[in-house]
Amino acid sequence: MSEDSPIDPQLVRELAAILNETDLFEVEVRHGDLKLRLSRGPAQSGYAAPAYAPPAPAPAPAAAPAAAPAAPAASGGEAAPENAVTSPMVGTVYLRPSPEEPAFKDAGADVKEGDTILLIEAMKTFNPITAPRSGKLTRLMVTDGQPVEFGEPLFVID
């Protein structure tokens, strides 16, 4: 490392040690304009790849170019509808406070700003995802127990 580098190698070592000691998958530090993120990568998360990634229709290479334009158009429209609220983190979605209780909100329900719509569990912590505005919950785009990625659409409020 050069003397001009704003990154302290000891800091990187300490952050890596924190990742190992706490079983975190990612840690990020910001100081002024400097932003440093250490991540273990997707292989460590275990649940995201096998449970979430649908199998790709790869057996027919000749058919893939013909099918490719249709698939992105369908998923593109589904992925980011207008008024969609997206996931602020990677985790697992829960639509109810416990398995015995009813869902926080069902599609078609009127919601007020701040109402809890669902929970995302990340690192054994349940994070409430609330309505950012009042309106009608027109669509839930996730299911109970589904893994989600950062930025993935969760629900739509019109």
Side-chain angles (χ1 to χ4, degrees):
M1 297 230 141
S2 70
E3 291 181 17
D4 296 335
S5 175
I7 299 174
D8 177 10
Q10 183 59 34
L11 174 62
V12 174
R13 284 186 199 88
E14 289 175 13
L15 292 174
I18 290 170
L19 280 175
N20 289 330
E21 292 169 6
T22 61
D23 290 330
L24 293 173
F25 295 110
E26 182 175 282
V27 65
E28 181 175 302
V29 175
R30 293 180 190 208
H31 183 71
D33 292 336
L34 176 67
K35 177 175 143 181
L36 179 64
R37 179 185 302 167
L38 276 73
S39 175
R40 290 182 191 233
Q44 295 291 325
S45 62
Y47 65 83
Y52 182 68
S75 65
E78 297 273 319
E82 191 174 338
N83 297 327
V85 176
T86 59
S87 178
M89 65 188 70
V90 173
T92 303
V93 169
Y94 294 100
L95 300 176
R96 55 191 73 231
S98 72
E100 311 80 42
E101 296 187 42
F104 288 106
K105 298 288 180 180
D106 292 318
D110 290 324
V111 297
K112 295 180 194 152
E113 181 177 344
D115 284 354
T116 298
I117 307 298
L118 52 87
L119 301 173
I120 295 182
E121 178 191 10
M123 297 184 293
K124 299 180 183 178
T125 301
F126 291 89
N127 302 282
I129 306 303
T130 60
R133 60 189 167 276
S134 297
K136 184 174 283 267
L137 179 63
T138 57
R139 188 169 171 196
L140 282 168
M141 301 182 69
V142 291
T143 58
D144 202 39
Q146 175 183 333
V148 292
E149 297 291 328
F150 174 81
E152 183 174 337
L154 300 172
F155 52 89
V156 178
I157 297 178
D158 288 325

Short mmCIF file of all heavy atoms in Angstrom, two decimals, residues 47-74:
data_model
loop_
_atom_site.label_atom_id
_atom_site.label_comp_id
_atom_site.label_asym_id
_atom_site.label_seq_id
_atom_site.Cartn_x
_atom_site.Cartn_y
_atom_site.Cartn_z
N TYR A 47 -28.72 -19.61 2.02
CA TYR A 47 -30.14 -19.64 1.70
C TYR A 47 -30.48 -18.94 0.41
O TYR A 47 -31.43 -19.29 -0.24
CB TYR A 47 -30.98 -19.04 2.83
CG TYR A 47 -30.73 -17.58 3.05
CD1 TYR A 47 -31.36 -16.63 2.28
CD2 TYR A 47 -29.84 -17.14 4.01
CE1 TYR A 47 -31.12 -15.29 2.47
CE2 TYR A 47 -29.60 -15.82 4.20
CZ TYR A 47 -30.25 -14.90 3.43
OH TYR A 47 -30.01 -13.58 3.62
N ALA A 48 -29.72 -17.96 -0.02
CA ALA A 48 -30.13 -17.14 -1.16
C ALA A 48 -30.08 -17.89 -2.48
O ALA A 48 -31.05 -17.90 -3.22
CB ALA A 48 -29.27 -15.88 -1.25
N ALA A 49 -29.00 -18.54 -2.79
CA ALA A 49 -28.88 -19.16 -4.10
C ALA A 49 -29.82 -20.35 -4.29
O ALA A 49 -30.61 -20.37 -5.19
CB ALA A 49 -27.44 -19.54 -4.37
N PRO A 50 -29.79 -21.38 -3.42
CA PRO A 50 -30.62 -22.52 -3.70
C PRO A 50 -32.11 -22.27 -3.51
O PRO A 50 -32.92 -22.78 -4.24
CB PRO A 50 -30.13 -23.60 -2.74
CG PRO A 50 -29.28 -22.92 -1.75
CD PRO A 50 -28.88 -21.60 -2.32
N ALA A 51 -32.49 -21.47 -2.53
CA ALA A 51 -33.90 -21.29 -2.24
C ALA A 51 -34.55 -20.24 -3.12
O ALA A 51 -35.74 -20.27 -3.33
CB ALA A 51 -34.08 -20.90 -0.78
N TYR A 52 -33.80 -19.32 -3.65
CA TYR A 52 -34.41 -18.20 -4.34
C TYR A 52 -34.24 -18.23 -5.84
O TYR A 52 -35.13 -17.84 -6.56
CB TYR A 52 -33.83 -16.89 -3.79
CG TYR A 52 -34.45 -15.68 -4.42
CD1 TYR A 52 -35.78 -15.36 -4.19
CD2 TYR A 52 -33.73 -14.88 -5.27
CE1 TYR A 52 -36.35 -14.27 -4.78
CE2 TYR A 52 -34.30 -13.79 -5.88
CZ TYR A 52 -35.62 -13.49 -5.63
OH TYR A 52 -36.18 -12.41 -6.21
N ALA A 53 -33.11 -18.68 -6.35
CA ALA A 53 -32.84 -18.63 -7.78
C ALA A 53 -33.63 -19.72 -8.51
O ALA A 53 -33.43 -20.90 -8.27
CB ALA A 53 -31.35 -18.80 -8.04
N PRO A 54 -34.55 -19.33 -9.41
CA PRO A 54 -35.28 -20.33 -10.15
C PRO A 54 -34.36 -20.99 -11.18
O PRO A 54 -33.44 -20.36 -11.67
CB PRO A 54 -36.40 -19.53 -10.84
CG PRO A 54 -35.88 -18.15 -10.90
CD PRO A 54 -34.96 -17.98 -9.72
N PRO A 55 -34.59 -22.25 -11.50
CA PRO A 55 -33.74 -22.90 -12.49
C PRO A 55 -33.91 -22.24 -13.84
O PRO A 55 -35.02 -21.89 -14.25
CB PRO A 55 -34.23 -24.35 -12.50
CG PRO A 55 -35.58 -24.32 -11.88
CD PRO A 55 -35.63 -23.12 -10.97
N ALA A 56 -32.79 -22.05 -14.53
CA ALA A 56 -32.81 -21.40 -15.85
C ALA A 56 -33.10 -22.44 -16.92
O ALA A 56 -32.61 -23.55 -16.85
CB ALA A 56 -31.48 -20.73 -16.11
N PRO A 57 -33.91 -22.09 -17.92
CA PRO A 57 -34.20 -23.02 -19.01
C PRO A 57 -33.04 -23.07 -19.99
O PRO A 57 -33.10 -22.53 -21.07
CB PRO A 57 -35.46 -22.45 -19.65
CG PRO A 57 -35.39 -20.99 -19.36
CD PRO A 57 -34.68 -20.87 -18.04
N ALA A 58 -31.94 -23.77 -19.61
CA ALA A 58 -30.74 -23.79 -20.43
C ALA A 58 -30.61 -24.99 -21.36
O ALA A 58 -29.71 -25.00 -22.17
CB ALA A 58 -29.52 -23.73 -19.52
N PRO A 59 -31.44 -26.04 -21.29
CA PRO A 59 -31.19 -27.21 -22.11
C PRO A 59 -31.24 -26.97 -23.61
O PRO A 59 -30.61 -27.68 -24.36
CB PRO A 59 -32.28 -28.21 -21.70
CG PRO A 59 -32.83 -27.71 -20.42
CD PRO A 59 -32.51 -26.26 -20.35
N ALA A 60 -31.99 -26.01 -24.08
CA ALA A 60 -32.13 -25.79 -25.52
C ALA A 60 -31.41 -24.52 -25.94
O ALA A 60 -32.00 -23.45 -25.96
CB ALA A 60 -33.60 -25.72 -25.91
N PRO A 61 -30.11 -24.59 -26.30
CA PRO A 61 -29.37 -23.39 -26.66
C PRO A 61 -29.96 -22.66 -27.85
O PRO A 61 -29.93 -21.45 -27.93
CB PRO A 61 -27.96 -23.89 -26.97
CG PRO A 61 -27.90 -25.30 -26.54
CD PRO A 61 -29.28 -25.77 -26.33
N ALA A 62 -30.52 -23.39 -28.82
CA ALA A 62 -31.08 -22.73 -30.00
C ALA A 62 -32.33 -21.94 -29.63
O ALA A 62 -32.63 -20.92 -30.23
CB ALA A 62 -31.41 -23.77 -31.06
N ALA A 63 -33.09 -22.41 -28.65
CA ALA A 63 -34.32 -21.74 -28.26
C ALA A 63 -34.07 -20.57 -27.33
O ALA A 63 -34.91 -19.70 -27.18
CB ALA A 63 -35.26 -22.72 -27.58
N ALA A 64 -32.91 -20.52 -26.69
CA ALA A 64 -32.63 -19.46 -25.73
C ALA A 64 -32.72 -18.07 -26.32
O ALA A 64 -33.33 -17.19 -25.73
CB ALA A 64 -31.27 -19.69 -25.07
N PRO A 65 -32.16 -17.77 -27.52
CA PRO A 65 -32.29 -16.41 -28.04
C PRO A 65 -33.74 -16.01 -28.29
O PRO A 65 -34.13 -14.89 -28.08
CB PRO A 65 -31.48 -16.44 -29.34
CG PRO A 65 -30.52 -17.56 -29.15
CD PRO A 65 -31.22 -18.55 -28.29
N ALA A 66 -34.57 -16.96 -28.74
CA ALA A 66 -35.97 -16.63 -28.99
C ALA A 66 -36.71 -16.38 -27.69
O ALA A 66 -37.56 -15.51 -27.61
CB ALA A 66 -36.64 -17.77 -29.77
N ALA A 67 -36.39 -17.15 -26.63
CA ALA A 67 -37.08 -17.01 -25.36
C ALA A 67 -36.55 -15.83 -24.55
O ALA A 67 -37.24 -15.29 -23.72
CB ALA A 67 -36.94 -18.29 -24.55
N ALA A 68 -35.32 -15.43 -24.78
CA ALA A 68 -34.70 -14.38 -23.98
C ALA A 68 -35.45 -13.05 -24.01
O ALA A 68 -35.65 -12.46 -22.96
CB ALA A 68 -33.24 -14.18 -24.40
N PRO A 69 -35.92 -12.54 -25.16
CA PRO A 69 -36.63 -11.26 -25.11
C PRO A 69 -37.93 -11.32 -24.31
O PRO A 69 -38.28 -10.39 -23.64
CB PRO A 69 -36.90 -10.94 -26.58
CG PRO A 69 -35.89 -11.73 -27.33
CD PRO A 69 -35.65 -12.96 -26.51
N ALA A 70 -38.64 -12.45 -24.36
CA ALA A 70 -39.91 -12.55 -23.64
C ALA A 70 -39.69 -12.59 -22.14
O ALA A 70 -40.42 -11.98 -21.38
CB ALA A 70 -40.67 -13.77 -24.11
N ALA A 71 -38.70 -13.32 -21.67
CA ALA A 71 -38.47 -13.46 -20.23
C ALA A 71 -38.11 -12.16 -19.54
O ALA A 71 -38.73 -11.80 -18.56
CB ALA A 71 -37.41 -14.52 -19.96
N PRO A 72 -37.15 -11.36 -20.05
CA PRO A 72 -36.85 -10.10 -19.37
C PRO A 72 -38.01 -9.13 -19.39
O PRO A 72 -38.22 -8.41 -18.45
CB PRO A 72 -35.65 -9.54 -20.14
CG PRO A 72 -35.01 -10.74 -20.75
CD PRO A 72 -36.14 -11.68 -21.04
N ALA A 73 -38.79 -9.12 -20.47
CA ALA A 73 -39.91 -8.19 -20.53
C ALA A 73 -40.92 -8.53 -19.44
O ALA A 73 -41.43 -7.66 -18.75
CB ALA A 73 -40.57 -8.24 -21.90
N ALA A 74 -41.19 -9.83 -19.26
CA ALA A 74 -42.15 -10.23 -18.23
C ALA A 74 -41.61 -9.96 -16.84
O ALA A 74 -42.28 -9.41 -15.99
CB ALA A 74 -42.48 -11.72 -18.38
#
